[in-house]
Amino acid sequence: MHLSAPTFPIFLLSLILAILAALSVYAGVKIPYISGHGFATLGISYLLLLAGNLFKGL
Protein backbone atom coordinates (compact mmCIF):
# COMPACT_ATOMS: atom_id res chain seq x y z
CA MET A 1 0.00 0.00 0.00
CA HIS A 2 1.39 3.39 -0.96
CA LEU A 3 0.43 6.29 1.28
CA SER A 4 0.72 9.92 0.31
CA ALA A 5 0.61 13.10 2.29
CA PRO A 6 -2.80 14.79 2.35
CA THR A 7 -3.17 18.14 0.68
CA PHE A 8 -3.00 21.16 2.92
CA PRO A 9 -6.78 21.98 2.76
CA ILE A 10 -7.70 18.41 3.79
CA PHE A 11 -5.18 18.49 6.63
CA LEU A 12 -6.40 21.91 7.78
CA LEU A 13 -10.07 20.89 7.67
CA SER A 14 -9.30 17.74 9.65
CA LEU A 15 -7.35 19.73 12.22
CA ILE A 16 -10.12 22.32 12.61
CA LEU A 17 -12.77 19.61 13.10
CA ALA A 18 -10.62 17.84 15.70
CA ILE A 19 -10.02 21.08 17.61
CA LEU A 20 -13.72 21.97 17.55
CA ALA A 21 -14.63 18.50 18.81
CA ALA A 22 -12.09 18.75 21.64
CA LEU A 23 -13.31 22.22 22.60
CA SER A 24 -16.93 21.12 22.70
CA VAL A 25 -16.23 18.00 24.79
CA TYR A 26 -13.48 19.10 27.18
CA ALA A 27 -13.91 22.87 27.44
CA GLY A 28 -17.70 22.88 27.33
CA VAL A 29 -17.88 25.33 24.42
CA LYS A 30 -21.31 25.23 22.79
CA ILE A 31 -20.87 24.86 19.03
CA PRO A 32 -23.96 24.22 16.90
CA TYR A 33 -24.05 20.75 15.24
CA ILE A 34 -20.84 19.71 17.03
CA SER A 35 -21.55 20.00 20.75
CA GLY A 36 -23.91 17.04 20.84
CA HIS A 37 -21.75 14.92 18.54
CA GLY A 38 -18.17 15.42 19.73
CA PHE A 39 -17.06 11.83 19.24
CA ALA A 40 -18.66 11.59 15.80
CA THR A 41 -17.04 14.87 14.75
CA LEU A 42 -13.64 13.61 15.88
CA GLY A 43 -14.20 10.37 13.98
CA ILE A 44 -15.14 12.27 10.83
CA SER A 45 -12.03 14.42 11.11
CA TYR A 46 -9.77 11.38 11.32
CA LEU A 47 -11.60 9.58 8.50
CA LEU A 48 -11.07 12.68 6.38
CA LEU A 49 -7.37 12.64 7.23
CA LEU A 50 -7.22 8.90 6.44
CA ALA A 51 -8.84 9.48 3.06
CA GLY A 52 -6.30 12.22 2.38
CA ASN A 53 -3.51 9.75 3.12
CA LEU A 54 -4.92 6.86 1.11
CA PHE A 55 -5.95 8.70 -2.05
CA LYS A 56 -3.29 10.68 -3.84
CA GLY A 57 -4.29 14.26 -4.67
CA LEU A 58 -7.11 14.44 -2.13
Side-chain angles (χ1 to χ4, degrees), residues 14-56:
S14 174
L15 183 66
I16 289 170
L17 283 174
I19 289 171
L20 289 176
L23 283 175
S24 70
V25 171
Y26 296 116
V29 177
K30 299 291 181 197
I31 303 169
Y33 304 111
I34 294 176
S35 293
H37 309 288
F39 183 73
T41 303
L42 186 62
I44 289 168
S45 74
Y46 283 113
L47 285 175
L48 184 63
L49 188 60
L50 176 68
N53 284 329
L54 289 178
F55 302 111
K56 187 173 182 152

